[in-house]
Amino acid sequence: MMIAENFNDFVDKVSEAERSALNSPAGQELTQKLLEMKLAQNPHMTPEEWTQTKSEFMTFMFTVFVQEVPEAMHELGHHVYNELRKEN
């Protein structure tokens, strides 16, 4: 079973799943711990830096998902291949 029909939909669906997971009670706890850890490193962290940290964390989660789920890695490779073959 494929997650999506194309690269953009794949990224959108996996990202939405990440956001849903982070909005769960366990995800909120994890996000709070990440915030506390980053504030311990930089007590004067700006909202922009926190936004960047969350973006980097989402990218990290995406990467881990694709690495740990062989079917997702295969599908991502399929979509990337198709994107590379598109004529502009």
Side-chain angles (χ1 to χ4, degrees):
M1 180 170 93
M2 291 186 62
I3 294 172
E5 293 296 318
N6 60 55
F7 178 79
N8 289 332
D9 287 344
F10 181 87
V11 171
D12 287 346
K13 286 182 178 184
V14 172
S15 297
E16 181 57 35
E18 289 177 0
R19 283 188 289 279
S20 293
L22 288 174
N23 284 325
S24 72
Q28 289 294 306
E29 184 178 332
L30 180 62
T31 302
Q32 181 63 37
K33 288 181 181 182
L34 176 63
L35 176 60
E36 290 167 5
M37 180 183 77
K38 295 303 281 185
L39 284 172
Q41 292 173 351
N42 177 8
H44 304 291
M45 182 172 55
T46 66
E48 293 79 15
E49 290 169 325
W50 175 236
T51 297
Q52 180 64 33
T53 297
K54 290 187 295 183
S55 176
E56 290 167 357
F57 185 62
M58 293 281 288
T59 301
F60 169 76
M61 287 181 17
F62 184 93
T63 303
V64 169
F65 169 71
V66 171
Q67 286 177 339
E68 296 298 321
V69 179
E71 297 86 357
M73 176 67 84
H74 178 75
E75 182 175 341
L76 178 59
H78 173 77
H79 292 313
V80 168
Y81 177 78
N82 287 342
E83 285 294 311
L84 291 172
R85 291 190 48 162
K86 278 185 180 178
E87 293 187 27
N88 293 327

